[in-house]
Amino acid sequence: MADKKKVIVIGGGFGGVFAAKSLEKLARGNVDVELINNNNYFVFQPLLPEVASSNLNSSDAVVPLRQLLSRVQVRQARVMGIDFERKIVIVIQGARMTPVELPYDELVIALGTGVDLARIPGMSDHALTMKDLTDAHMLRTHVIGCLETADVTTDTLVKDQLLTFVVVGAGFSGVETAAETNELISRALRYYHNIKPEEIRMYLIEFAPRILPTFPADLADYATKNLRANGVEVLTGVGTKSATSTGVELTNDRVINSSTIVATIGNGPHPLVDALGLDMKWGRIKTNRFMQVPGHDHVWALGDAALIPLNDDPQDDPADYATQTAQFAVREGAQLAANIVAKLKGEPLKPLPTRPRARSPRSA
């Protein structure tokens, strides 16, 4: 690597941060690494439900990117486009939102996913989400508001609706959100003398046959028993047909009246990723096993934005691809960094290792 190369990483989630950190360490002095992100901090997303429940302070779930990546150039800016032919990233930054063109030798796309609830009528308008700190704070404030109103209302139907809470989607985020919200309510009830514990209804709804569909079945069974033991009503094998300001209608035509709907489903492609014109599947950028984007020699993708095969002949089975978890994103970041260094040295690339032993994403 005679000439110093410029590598731009777009996205400050698990994949982007660990790719930038690993790359700087492996190629120190030979590569300039710059990470671009909308915010100047890293959010530990698996902890957001605990922020919502007040079990953690907001500061415990975020780390300044400049502190985490002390040897990496961090740029707080919004990426507006990518010119693959000219190898240019176009960003807008600063108070005046000035457009700037940034050249690169290698580009890493780690933008994660967006939220797309449009497929379920009413969900976009009436559901809370759990993607960032603002969402966590909104959920906590909303839940406390429901308890405040329920404590003083004399209308039984209104009270029932206020004390019914629905979480749609039972992946890791949904399970954590239901459990932490349920705990928040249980702790708070001592201050609301007109609300009895048995008046609380907490629903966790999952279209798949079981919760935590990307985790081992025995772990899902354990989590289900634990949730039910703590008063969460787990409904599996049923989807959500529509949402309104007063509740949800399920695909089995059951209606649950509720003032609180939290959607942890609806992951869709990031708007920029969707506009790049790259080959995609299931809303994710298709890559080879080395995390290179086919047809673009200097472009790589990882994390939730990428569909990374775990074998040489992947089929239409999610198990043939890297799972969208923090655990995988960390591993992808390290391997992608090693592959960029190998490429610049003219050495063989290595594929992402096969599926690791499952564990909680927060341990990654």
Side-chain angles (χ1 to χ4, degrees):
M1 294 187 293
D3 299 325
K4 207 167 187 180
K5 302 295 185 181
K6 179 63 176 284
V7 179
I8 290 180
V9 179
I10 302 174
F14 280 98
V17 165
F18 280 89
K21 192 176 185 69
S22 299
L23 185 57
E24 191 284 325
K25 183 177 180 180
L26 291 173
R28 185 169 298 167
N30 296 308
V31 170
D32 279 333
V33 184
E34 180 171 349
L35 183 140
I36 304 171
N37 195 51
N38 289 349
N39 302 312
N40 62 359
Y41 54 84
F42 166 79
V43 179
F44 199 99
Q45 283 193 333
L47 293 181
L48 288 179
E50 291 178 83
V51 173
S53 69
S54 299
N55 274 331
L56 281 179
N57 293 323
S58 299
S59 58
D60 295 323
V62 299
V63 181
L65 284 172
R66 295 180 190 277
Q67 176 183 328
L68 192 61
L69 302 170
S70 58
R71 294 177 178 270
V72 173
Q73 174 63 42
V74 174
R75 182 187 298 260
Q76 184 178 358
R78 185 178 299 276
V79 179
M80 299 304 295
I82 301 171
D83 188 328
F84 294 115
E85 290 189 7
R86 296 170 57 214
K87 296 169 65 176
I88 294 288
V89 176
I90 303 99
V91 304
I92 55 174
Q93 60 188 33
R96 296 184 178 181
M97 303 299 283
T98 306
V100 177
E101 293 188 348
L102 304 174
Y104 64 82
D105 292 296
E106 302 290 333
L107 175 66
V108 179
I109 301 174
L111 286 167
T113 59
V115 177
D116 180 13
L117 300 175
R119 287 169 289 182
I120 301 177
M123 192 67 78
S124 297
D125 297 324
H126 303 291
L128 300 168
T129 56
M130 187 56 66
K131 278 288 191 179
D132 56 34
L133 281 176
T134 301
D135 293 337
H137 294 155
M138 286 182 64
L139 176 58
R140 180 172 58 204
T141 300
H142 176 84
V143 169
I144 296 301
C146 287
L147 297 180
E148 291 286 349
T149 306
D151 192 60
V152 297
T153 186
T154 57
D155 188 319
T156 303
L157 293 179
V158 170
K159 186 176 184 180
D160 288 345
Q161 182 177 308
L162 287 165
L163 298 181
T164 300
F165 304 86
V166 177
V167 178
V168 180
F172 180 81
S173 179
V175 168
E176 285 280 291
T177 298
E180 290 293 334
T181 304
N182 196 51
E183 184 178 340
L184 169 64
I185 295 168
S186 297
R187 291 200 315 267
L189 285 187
R190 58 186 291 192
Y191 304 107
Y192 296 94
H193 305 298
N194 296 319
I195 302 175
K196 300 175 182 178
E198 57 268 25
E199 293 179 293
I200 303 296
R201 292 286 182 271
M202 175 68 67
Y203 291 92
L204 179 62
I205 300 170
E206 172 57 47
F207 182 74
R210 63 176 174 87
I211 69 171
L212 299 172
T214 61
F215 287 79
D218 58 345
L219 179 59
D221 291 341
Y222 172 81
T224 300
K225 292 177 183 177
N226 190 274
L227 288 165
R228 287 174 172 160
N230 284 279
V232 179
E233 300 186 42
V234 180
L235 306 180
T236 57
V238 60
T240 306
K241 184 187 296 185
S242 64
T244 68
S245 61
T246 60
V248 294
E249 181 182 3
L250 306 183
T251 52
N252 61 4
D253 295 329
R254 178 181 177 182
V255 175
I256 300 176
N257 293 320
S258 172
S259 295
T260 306
I261 307 166
V262 186
T264 62
I265 59 170
N267 285 337
H270 187 284
L272 176 62
V273 169
D274 203 27
L276 291 176
L278 299 174
D279 192 9
M280 298 177 65
K281 181 177 181 178
W282 300 336
R284 299 155 71 184
I285 301 169
K286 295 174 68 174
T287 76
N288 60 22
R289 292 197 66 192
F290 310 117
M291 289 168 280
Q292 295 171 303
V293 177
H296 297 272
D297 293 339
H298 303 282
V299 182
W300 312 70
L302 80 165
D304 289 355
L307 187 67
I308 306 168
L310 296 177
N311 57 61
D312 292 328
D313 186 28
Q315 305 299 312
D316 285 338
D317 184 346
D320 288 344
Y321 300 89
T323 305
Q324 292 172 292
T325 62
Q327 179 188 21
F328 261 99
V330 170
R331 293 166 62 91
E332 291 161 17
Q335 188 59 58
L336 185 147
N339 282 343
I340 288 180
V341 173
K343 178 189 175 185
L344 296 178
K345 289 181 176 180
E347 297 174 353
L349 310 186
K350 294 183 180 180
L352 182 70
T354 54
R355 186 178 300 273
R357 180 174 59 86
R359 61 188 182 192
S360 169
R362 73 178 59 186
S363 64

